Amino acid sequence: MEHALNGIRVVDLTHYIAGPYCTKLLADYGAEVLKIERPGTGDGARSLPPFFADQPGQERSGLFLFLNTNKQSLTLNLKADRGLEMVLRLIKTADVVVENFRPGVLAQLGLTQEKLERANPRLVRVSISNFGTSGPYRDYHMTDNVAYALGGWMYPMGELDRPPVQPGGAFGQYMAGLYAAIGTLQAIRNRNVTGQGQHVEVSIQEALIATTLYDFVAFSYSGFVRKRSGKQFHLGFPNLVTLPCADGYVGVHAGLPHQIYALLELVGRPDLASAPRFQTLAGLGEHAQELHEALLPWMRERGKWEIYHAAQARSIPLSPVPSPAEVVEWPHLKARHAFLEIEHPEGGQVKIPGPPFREHGKPLWPLRRAPLLGEHTEATACGKLGYTKTDVQQMRDSGVL
């Protein structure tokens, strides 16, 4: 089947999350992604949970499986002369090289910008790093906690009288990977017009800043600083809150007064909908606790999906808070084939989210599982670069592959 990025070859020098998510997006849309891994250990994500049946193993990481669909794996020691020679031969045939080493590491390995440009003037080079490739913090280390703090996400999170809290997961790394994929596509388009490659760089910190709602714009515009408000998301809308129900939680996202009034009528409190103290956003903010307490008796008697459908019938933006199992089994997502099944030799049938963008009118294509470590080394070396099987064996014996 023809895919949008058929014919694009990517040399993938990335590891863990941000870089592999960028190259996963390219691979899932048809690019040939050749993932270079360290001999013996491979991408560090192979050692991260969750694992199939909770049993650690190099081919059992669910994180690695998700981030590396449709790729090919080659083991290659970039610190060895013959390893450097092989990766340069690959780069000469490639359209894109993606890396997420610390700034300067690629040059230390011998892959300087000048050498890459001489090898392939049309090459698009994509770099993902913590703080970017320039600036006084470019060499600083980062964890997800640091990224959220310095990206502006932690300050408004949590209870007002307690320290800020970190949002869950590695959201910043996924956003950086997404932006890197978008940058890659625009660089390929520019290359196709001008004939010249270019260097695209993405900072994880700046990826988070770019997705921090409008806190920075609000501060620049009016000096407004959003305060921590716990479970209640407060930006002048006291009615954005998560509340308990009979079988879990629902998120109330009624951001406009008329939506609040419709919700109060739904729960049998039309008296409050017409009360003078609830007729302005300022009044709603001042009496937010009373508003929430008025909703709770009705909600505690009903399940989240019942509440959701009743609210939707009245155009009230309210959402259940489903578990991962409920999301996977949600009939709407099943109807859209949002989760695809792949067969893995270690874990059997596994469901993972499908590609996030779709071409209307074209069928979804089946994902290929993440590669086993070094699974495509010999095929690439012999089939694409002209090495013999004897060469490959010699390089394996010497630790190059």
Side-chain angles (χ1 to χ4, degrees), residues 139-157:
D139 295 320
Y140 276 41
H141 294 278
M142 178 183 282
T143 63
D144 287 332
N145 192 22
V146 173
Y148 284 123
L150 296 181
W153 276 76
M154 278 183 65
Y155 185 85
M157 296 289 180

Side-chain angles (χ1 to χ4, degrees), residues 89-119:
R89 288 176 69 170
L90 275 177
I91 286 170
K92 286 180 180 179
T93 71
D95 298 278
V96 180
V97 60
V98 186
E99 54 95 7
N100 63 339
F101 297 115
R102 290 178 63 191
V105 168
L106 202 64
Q108 291 171 11
L109 292 170
L111 297 172
T112 62
Q113 182 69 16
E114 294 75 19
K115 185 175 285 188
L116 292 173
E117 287 176 352
R118 284 199 304 270

Side-chain angles (χ1 to χ4, degrees), residues 18-29:
Y21 187 60
C22 167
T23 53
K24 167 191 167 60
L25 292 173
L26 302 177
D28 286 352
Y29 289 96

Side-chain angles (χ1 to χ4, degrees), residues 231-232 240-252 263 267 289 291-305 307-308 318-321:
K231 66 181 180 180
Q232 178 179 318
L240 303 184
V241 65
T242 301
L243 297 174
C245 62
D247 60 354
Y249 295 90
V250 292
V252 180
L263 181 57
V267 303
Q289 190 60 39
L291 172 66
H292 302 158
E293 290 175 357
L295 302 175
L296 286 173
W298 185 86
M299 289 185 172
R300 282 179 169 147
E301 293 179 354
R302 291 163 175 81
K304 55 181 175 283
W305 294 102
I307 295 171
Y308 172 59
L318 179 151
S319 171
V321 182

Side-chain angles (χ1 to χ4, degrees), residues 257 261 264 270-284 287:
Y261 305 149
L264 286 169
D271 56 310
L272 293 181
S274 59
R277 62 186 179 279
F278 287 131
Q279 298 310 301
T280 65
L281 280 176
L284 287 164
H287 301 283

Side-chain angles (χ1 to χ4, degrees), residues 25-88:
L25 292 173
L26 302 177
D28 286 352
Y29 289 96
E32 179 189 35
V33 175
L34 305 174
K35 182 177 179 68
I36 310 300
E37 299 192 68
R38 183 182 304 169
T41 56
D43 184 341
R46 289 182 179 272
S47 65
L48 296 181
F51 298 107
F52 295 129
D54 206 25
Q55 296 295 316
Q58 200 171 66
E59 309 296 350
R60 303 178 69 85
S61 168
L63 177 67
F64 181 86
L65 185 151
F66 168 68
L67 288 170
N68 293 281
T69 51
N70 286 327
K71 301 179 187 180
Q72 301 175 46
S73 170
L74 295 73
T75 53
L76 187 59
N77 183 356
L78 296 178
K79 295 181 179 179
D81 290 343
R82 293 200 72 182
L84 188 63
E85 171 198 301
M86 182 179 288
V87 79
L88 276 171

Side-chain angles (χ1 to χ4, degrees), residues 151-215:
W153 276 76
M154 278 183 65
Y155 185 85
M157 296 289 180
E159 302 288 346
L160 183 59
D161 58 347
R162 301 180 69 182
V165 297
Q166 173 187 325
F171 174 74
Q173 296 193 56
Y174 286 102
M175 290 307 302
L178 173 60
Y179 292 148
I182 295 171
T184 301
L185 297 180
Q186 70 84 19
I188 291 173
R189 183 181 184 279
N190 182 73
R191 187 277 311 274
N192 291 345
V193 172
T194 67
Q196 295 296 313
Q198 66 181 95
H199 185 190
V200 175
E201 65 151 321
V202 174
S203 153
I204 295 174
Q205 180 195 22
E206 291 167 21
L208 277 169
I209 287 173
T211 51
T212 309
L213 302 174
Y214 46 90
D215 289 86

